[in-house]
Amino acid sequence: KGRVNFGPDQKEFDFFRYGKDTEIGRHIMRDVRQYIEQYFDAELYPEYAQDIQDWLSKTDNSKEDFIKTLMKRSQRYFMYLCNVLPQFVPGGVYENLETPAKLPLGLMEYYWDHWQRMGMTRPDRSEIELYIIYLLTETYDWVPASVIANYASVNVSQRVSRIVVVDYFNRWMQFLHSFFVADEECYLIYHESFNDFLHKERTVQASNVDISRVKKNYRSALYGFLLNASDEPDDDDDDD
């Protein structure tokens, strides 16, 4: 929420308290500008700099207008900038955007754009997708597809297989991290603030009516999986 914690006492610095005309506000805006400008530096960001310049040329947008518009659209969220700026490359989400003025406004609009890109506003969206997302966001931890499949199956008429869950995760992979635990691929929403958004999203929360009765068992099953995985010996351990 625009806050940064400092030191062991976790003191909060809420930079949204400071307007653009205050000294601190001007420092924040300067930092935002400098962060955006870094993406034009081929030494710092060789994977993005030329592609962003090419996008500006292709769309007839000036560098200065691009920077000023991103400063405004980001609402000073660095999380917004670090996710949006890499998406102007070929194959990126905003490759075909005509102007930066059409970017989502602020982090919540940006996450709503994610929600749409996940296909969650389409008319034929299935109940299974909602259950999978709810279970994925419930724990704020790595989740194996097999555990989600077991509990998603409790709430729908047909059994949900691990393959079905993995297929959905593959579709949403740009919004996830994956990691192998005990030879099984586990998944995590790429950032905690997006996890918050998904968990609070009304259509996901609506599924809580059905899932609440298995929530405790679901958490226990996930904890058991992670605990067993941590107890497994390393491959290079010597046999007794």
Side-chain angles (χ1 to χ4, degrees):
K1 294 184 179 180
R3 294 179 177 179
V4 181
N5 293 327
F6 293 98
D9 296 331
Q10 294 295 293
K11 296 178 181 179
E12 289 188 337
F13 173 66
D14 185 356
F15 57 73
F16 286 126
R17 290 174 51 197
Y18 302 95
K20 297 177 184 177
D21 295 329
T22 65
E23 183 178 356
I24 292 177
R26 287 192 291 270
H27 278 295
I28 294 168
M29 293 304 293
R30 182 194 63 195
D31 290 344
V32 169
R33 170 179 274 276
Q34 288 177 347
Y35 183 83
I36 297 169
E37 288 176 339
Q38 287 183 124
Y39 280 78
F40 290 90
D41 189 328
E43 291 187 3
L44 290 174
Y45 289 101
E47 68 273 39
Y48 303 127
Q50 187 58 53
D51 287 326
I52 292 176
Q53 290 282 10
D54 291 345
W55 182 87
L56 291 174
S57 298
K58 179 180 70 173
T59 58
D60 199 26
N61 286 283
S62 72
K63 176 180 176 180
E64 184 60 22
D65 285 345
F66 179 83
I67 292 172
K68 286 182 177 179
T69 304
L70 257 71
M71 291 173 68
K72 180 178 179 180
R73 305 301 288 180
S74 69
Q75 296 185 334
R76 301 189 284 182
Y77 281 108
F78 286 90
M79 176 55 61
Y80 177 104
L81 293 170
C82 76
N83 284 286
V84 166
L85 282 162
Q87 296 301 323
F88 289 92
V89 303
V93 171
Y94 300 120
E95 175 190 9
N96 297 315
L97 197 70
E98 296 174 357
T99 169
K102 292 186 177 180
L103 285 167
L105 179 63
L107 204 55
M108 290 303 102
E109 267 197 27
Y110 177 67
Y111 286 157
W112 177 252
D113 185 57
H114 279 7
W115 181 249
Q116 291 176 309
R117 291 177 188 279
M118 291 171 76
M120 301 310 294
T121 58
R122 69 183 197 280
D124 62 341
R125 178 201 64 206
S126 71
E127 259 190 334
I128 293 174
E129 292 171 81
L130 284 177
Y131 293 132
I132 290 172
I133 288 177
Y134 183 90
L135 291 168
L136 179 63
T137 61
E138 171 66 13
T139 62
Y140 289 81
D141 208 339
W142 296 102
V143 184
S146 59
V147 173
I148 287 184
N150 288 340
Y151 285 89
S153 299
V154 172
N155 298 281
V156 292
S157 55
Q158 74 269 35
R159 177 160 182 77
V160 180
S161 70
R162 178 183 173 278
I163 293 174
V164 168
V165 175
V166 170
D167 182 57
Y168 280 120
F169 285 164
N170 287 337
R171 299 182 200 180
W172 304 331
M173 206 61 222
Q174 70 183 107
F175 311 114
L176 305 175
H177 293 308
S178 63
F179 184 77
F180 277 91
V181 178
D183 297 324
E184 180 163 0
E185 194 165 14
C186 297
Y187 300 86
L188 180 73
I189 297 295
Y190 81 96
H191 194 270
E192 186 175 318
S193 60
F194 185 43
N195 198 112
D196 289 340
F197 171 85
L198 290 174
H199 203 60
K200 293 175 183 176
E201 220 295 318
R202 285 183 301 172
T203 49
V204 176
Q205 282 225 310
S207 66
N208 187 39
V209 174
D210 296 321
I211 291 177
S212 59
R213 62 192 177 91
V214 300
K215 187 187 296 186
K216 181 178 180 181
N217 290 336
Y218 168 67
R219 283 177 171 268
S220 296
L222 180 60
Y223 177 76
F225 171 84
L226 296 173
L227 185 64
N228 290 335
S230 67
D231 288 340
E232 287 198 356
D234 294 333
D235 291 339
D236 57 356
D237 281 353
D238 294 331
D239 294 331
D240 292 335

